[in-house]
Amino acid sequence: MAFKHLQIFLIVSLVSSICFSITLSRPLEDELTMQKRHDEWMTKHGRVYRDTNEENNRYVVFKRNVERIERLNNLPAGRTFKLAVNQFADLTNDEFRSMYTGYKGDSLLSSQRQTKTTPFRYQNVSSSALPISFDWRKKGAVTPIKNQGSCGCCWAFSAVAAIEGATQIKKGKLISLSEQELVDCDTNDFGCGGGLMDTAFEHIIATGGLTTESNYPYKGEDATCNSKKTNPKAASITGYEDVPVNDENALMKAVVHQPVSVGIEGGGFDFQFYSSGVFTGECTTSLDHGVTAVGYGESMNKSKYWIIKNSWGTKWGESGYMRIQKDVKDKQGLCGLAMKASYPIV
Ligand SMILES: *[C@@H]1O[C@H](CO)[C@@H](O)[C@H](O)[C@H]1NC(C)=O
Ligand SMILES: *[C@@H]1O[C@H](CO)[C@@H](O)[C@H](O)[C@H]1NC(C)=O
């Protein structure tokens, strides 16, 4: 009898210890799954770390980001956009902001601005005549998505995209132009250290234009200006104009005429991991990034959006683009996109 009891006791304790060990190992299992995800992510994005110490630190950041992305994507209220574990998933938001944006505040502008702006020429365009949706990509005025890499020269990509568009509209030819020429040669701005689209326009007016992307290719780092490569010029501008501040309707009038450079607050977590849908995420109006508005539209359920061309490669957002909520209550526009918009005159 005693022996049997002992047997039962053993079986019970064995079963309970199995159950116990399963509950215990659940977090362990999650941890292993997450580590596997990190490994796969590293392979997918070609990420190599210096040593295991760095890998471990990056893993902690990766895990925190993945968990937050999944929590936000699963919010029961449902959001109008989705986030994804993209190429920025092993960067803290502070690191991301300092590496991938690069828009300088207005202090730069007031000290550098000559008097090249002319008044907003689209003021008298009738609002009621504006189409419900408009997309410069469909009209062949937008070059393929580019990638600034970890160089804070968004301002160069934004200015260049606006000039590429204006040139195509005026001359009928879409030519990819050089950002690196601006990074290296535009002394109004600070290369990978940041800059402004308007001061880039000033520089381009002063030097007579920009050469092509292929003639002065993008390196993604500061280098000395190679004056031999800056010729021949492939596009030039005669001036630029600012869109009236805090007026999404004025921005719309401009965007139907040409792609427009806009300042935006693009350094937030939602922006970092945006993947699809109409962005209505968290952001401020402390402009830190430059992008280009290339159109606007209305989704199935009538939510209005701008189409923004970014310079973070095609893996970010909707193949490199973002749809972001348009006509918000705040006059400054979502993420401040109506605060500092301007366009070049070809
Ligand atoms: C638009 O529709 C989507 C999908 O049904 C929904 O998730 C989203 O909340 C809607 N957006 C607005 C602004 O109503
Ligand atoms: C807009 O219309 C007003 C009144 O006709 C005119 O004075 C002004 O010059 C026009 N502005 C532009 C930019 O054409």
Side-chain angles (χ1 to χ4, degrees), residues 142-215:
V142 185
T143 58
I145 289 288
K146 302 184 187 185
N147 195 342
Q148 71 185 80
S150 55
C151 161
C153 65
C154 61
W155 56 274
F157 283 86
S158 170
V160 163
I163 296 173
E164 289 168 345
T167 305
Q168 193 279 337
I169 293 162
K170 181 94 178 264
K171 312 239 160 107
K173 268 179 95 177
L174 183 63
I175 307 160
S176 186
L177 301 171
S178 174
E179 291 82 14
Q180 193 68 41
E181 178 178 352
L182 288 173
V183 171
D184 294 355
C185 308
D186 171 2
T187 52
N188 292 343
D189 295 288
F190 297 93
C192 294
L196 282 178
M197 291 75 91
D198 280 4
T199 40
F201 294 145
E202 300 263 0
H203 167 84
I204 296 160
I205 295 163
T207 57
L210 277 180
T211 194
T212 60
E213 184 82 70
S214 57
N215 195 44

Side-chain angles (χ1 to χ4, degrees), residues 55 57 61 114 257 342:
E55 179 163 345
N57 293 339
V61 176
Q114 320 287 302
H257 288 93
S342 59

